Amino acid sequence: MANLKYSRQRELVLHTVKNAMHHPNADWVYRQVCLQDPKISLATVYRNLNLLSDLGEIKKVAVNGHSDCFDRNTHNHYHMYCSGCGMVYDIELDYLADIDHMISSRCGFDITSHDLSFVGLCDKCKGKN
């Protein structure tokens, strides 16, 4: 964020995501930031989350059919979405960097990265059924 003018609101959004112990969505971040800055708008939170994601400060996690979540861990890794409770979890799995080359050589695409998400039930939701 070296080339950007300092923004207290952006700093609050970043701090909130970096200190979350889960993968929050924009509404959750907004509610938390409002506790410190009641005048902030939801649009400002969305704009800053997307900017911080574009800058690589946080990672946007697309959840098919649901709100995007945001991750403080910006390293390449995979996620699981629990269809029971709606939580997003990191998966402890080595990043499959060779798959980019495999697909590129088979399809002719210039692959720059990939994102892989799994859908299922977490242990808590599995136990409820």
Side-chain angles (χ1 to χ4, degrees):
M1 291 193 309
N3 294 335
L4 290 177
K5 181 179 164 189
Y6 174 79
S7 163
R8 188 180 68 75
Q9 292 174 325
R10 186 180 319 112
E11 202 62 38
L12 280 172
V13 169
L14 178 61
H15 178 77
T16 300
V17 174
K18 290 284 188 179
N19 287 293
M21 299 312 291
H22 64 294
H23 296 74
N25 63 21
D27 290 331
W28 186 90
V29 173
Y30 172 69
R31 287 191 306 274
Q32 298 305 306
V33 171
C34 276
L35 297 173
Q36 298 173 57
D37 183 358
K39 294 182 180 181
I40 196 167
S41 71
L42 182 58
T44 298
V45 170
Y46 269 101
R47 186 173 49 256
N48 280 293
L49 285 168
N50 286 313
L51 177 62
L52 291 165
S53 174
D54 291 345
L55 293 171
E57 296 287 327
I58 58 176
K59 186 177 185 102
K60 184 188 292 189
V61 180
V63 180
N64 196 15
H66 300 281
S67 299
D68 291 339
C69 294
F70 296 88
D71 194 346
R72 64 185 177 170
N73 180 356
T74 59
H75 295 95
N76 289 331
H77 65 285
Y78 302 113
H79 295 96
M80 191 201 92
Y81 170 76
C82 177
S83 57
C85 63
M87 294 294 289
V88 175
Y89 298 91
D90 289 337
I91 296 176
E92 298 296 324
L93 175 70
D94 290 338
Y95 188 74
L96 306 172
D98 292 342
I99 200 168
D100 294 347
H101 177 70
M102 269 191 331
I103 291 174
S104 179
S105 65
R106 290 182 186 180
C107 301
F109 279 64
D110 288 335
I111 307 292
T112 56
S113 69
H114 70 273
D115 187 29
L116 185 59
S117 296
F118 299 88
V119 177
L121 293 173
C122 68
D123 287 339
K124 288 180 186 176
C125 291
K126 214 172 22 176
K128 291 179 184 176
N129 292 335

